[in-house]
Structure formats: structure tokens, C-alpha cells
Amino acid sequence: MYVHVPKNLKTPAPVLVAVHHCQGSASGYNGETKYSSLADQHNFIVIYPNSRSSGGCFDVASQATFTHNGGGDSQTIINMVKYAVEKLGGDADKVFVVGTSSGAMMTNVLVAAYPDVFKAGSVYSGVPAGCFAVSGATATQDPPGWSNSCANGQNIKTAQQWGDLVRSFYPGYNGTRPRLQIFHGTADTTLRYPNYAEQLKEWSNVFGLTTSKNASNTPQSGYTQTIYGEGTATTAQLVGYSAQGVGHTVPQHESMDLAFFGIV
């Protein structure tokens, strides 16, 4: 784990969890992204979890990780958040998560299993929460379980089925759900493009959203923005970005993340 705490931090401060990709690391993701420098400008704490697997992938395949307070990598990350809130001056009411690839998968899992912790998430080239489930996978195996069918975009469900899967991560939870911003490239050959539509189906059901509107070439040429329900790109519960011709992964849009989270 690597934690970036700005000098002269004003507390309580927002907390951002930034989750790296496979073959990545906490320090590597810090270097690849601009969150730490932005934290210095905008007064927030950044937590970079570090995968314990030899290949740098997070466990997004085991039932433990999918279960609220069930253990696995998801609960390990939650413990990091608790530390930041209790020891570093983090604001428990302003906790957010962003991730790329394996970290994007974990972002979906975290907001599904711990909706009481996170206020919003931003997903770069991931898969629906629960899509990567592997029968018999354990939280400590190395490497973590891998689902070819999910990676290849072959795990297709109805919106209701996906939504029920999310709700099963924390049975009985009736509180507010974290807002989601989701990016995916049409030319992704690692976590294939059908996973984009499946994520939007999943979360639109969780949020109970049935209407959407598209805007082409937004926020840049080749990107199509989809806003579900009411609100704007920074206030809606669910916003998607399809990136034409972009592979794995969609480049980080840090300023958009901070705007979506309400940090700036």
C-alpha cells in the first residue's frame, strides 16, 4: 500500500482509493496517474492498494471478495479506508474509488459490496461486479481466479440478473448506492467491449434507471457519453463513456473523476 497525504492537509479530507491493474503496483499506479499531484492541489488523501498476488492482479473471483465483510481483497481495501479515516484525517462521508483493468473490476466489486463506504466510483476498462466469479476460487490463491468467458465478453445477463447479483453482495442493504462513471474502449481485446454494455445494464437496474441520453464526441472526439436518468455528467447516478477505437485500457481522465466525485 502507498498513501499520499498532502502537506498541510485540512481535515476531514476526502479519501480516494486508486486501484492498479494486473502487472501493476501501488507505486507504479501512483506514477502512471495524476491523483497525488491533484491531491496536493485539492486537499484529499489518496490510497493506492497493492495486490498481494505475484502477477499484480486483485482477487475479483472469490465469494469472499464479493461478500460484505467476508474477507478477501475487498475487505483489505476497506480496512485501508478505515485507517485513513481514523488515523489520517479522512472524511468517512467522502470516500471514492477509481481503478483500471483489474482495479476497475475491483472498483465495481467495492461499490457493490460496500455501498455504505463509498459515495462514487470511476471504472476504466472493467467488467460487471460478479462477472469474474470462479467456482471454488479462494481469496488467497495466487494467481487469483480468472474467467475467460467474462474477459471475452461472453457473460451476458439481463439487467435484473445483474442487479440481483449486486444486491446479493450485501443482502438487506437499503441505503444510498454509490454513483458510477464507466469508461470502455470499443477495441479492447483484454476485457472485451460487451462488458461495457453489461456494466451499464447492471448498474442501471441497481439504480432503477430506465431512460438514457447520448452525446457524441463527448468529452472528446470519438467518445460517446451516455447519461442515465436525471442530472448532468457530474451529478447523474450513472454515466458511461464508450471510446471508439480505444483498446485496453482507456486513458485516465483524472479531472473528470474529481468533478464526478464532487472534489472539484
Side-chain angles (χ1 to χ4, degrees):
M1 176 179 69
Y2 170 74
V3 180
H4 181 83
V5 181
K7 294 179 181 179
N8 303 315
L9 182 75
K10 297 178 182 178
T11 60
V15 177
L16 175 61
V17 179
V19 195
H20 68 73
H21 48 79
C22 289
Q23 288 82 52
S25 66
S27 59
Y29 201 48
N30 176 43
E32 295 165 16
T33 59
K34 301 175 183 176
Y35 299 114
S36 288
S37 61
L38 288 167
D40 292 335
Q41 297 176 42
H42 300 293
N43 192 67
F44 62 93
I45 298 166
V46 191
I47 300 172
Y48 296 91
N50 202 73
S51 166
R52 53 189 165 189
S53 76
S54 56
C57 297
F58 287 92
D59 165 36
V60 290
S62 77
Q63 189 59 47
T65 285
F66 295 154
T67 303
H68 182 82
N69 291 337
D73 285 352
S74 62
Q75 190 167 4
T76 298
I77 292 171
I78 295 303
N79 289 337
M80 297 176 189
V81 172
K82 290 179 179 177
Y83 178 86
V85 169
E86 294 170 4
K87 305 294 186 181
L88 302 178
D91 187 340
D93 292 325
K94 295 181 180 179
V95 180
F96 310 98
V97 58
V98 61
T100 297
S101 190
S102 175
M105 295 191 243
M106 178 54 73
T107 297
N108 271 320
V109 169
L110 286 168
V111 296
Y114 295 92
D116 55 329
V117 173
F118 297 97
K119 291 296 182 283
S122 187
V123 177
Y124 288 89
S125 307
V127 304
C131 179
F132 236 72
V134 176
S135 179
T138 64
T140 57
Q141 71 183 64
D142 187 9
W146 181 269
S147 170
N148 282 325
S149 61
C150 179
N152 290 329
Q154 297 167 335
N155 287 6
I156 308 299
K157 300 180 185 294
T158 66
Q160 183 69 40
Q161 288 172 326
W162 282 125
D164 287 346
L165 188 57
V166 166
R167 288 180 283 270
S168 74
F169 287 12
Y170 190 177
Y173 179 77
N174 292 313
T176 302
R177 294 277 177 177
R179 300 162 55 244
L180 262 296
Q181 176 175 258
I182 299 173
F183 295 84
H184 215 103
T186 64
D188 194 327
T189 58
T190 302
L191 299 175
R192 293 185 179 271
Y193 186 62
N195 282 303
Y196 175 63
E198 297 306 297
Q199 288 175 87
L200 294 177
K201 284 161 61 177
E202 179 173 69
W203 291 107
S204 63
N205 178 267
V206 171
F207 295 136
L209 301 173
T210 57
T211 62
S212 63
K213 54 187 177 184
N214 294 337
S216 59
N217 297 316
T218 304
Q220 64 199 68
S221 179
Y223 282 54
T224 299
Q225 175 198 77
T226 303
I227 296 177
Y228 283 76
E230 301 298 323
T232 68
T234 57
T235 63
Q237 285 181 292
L238 178 62
V239 183
Y241 293 96
S242 173
Q244 182 63 38
V246 176
H248 195 76
T249 59
V250 175
Q252 224 83 14
H253 288 64
E254 293 94 339
S255 60
M256 288 178 61
D257 295 335
L258 299 191
F260 186 75
F261 298 154
I263 293 177
V264 296

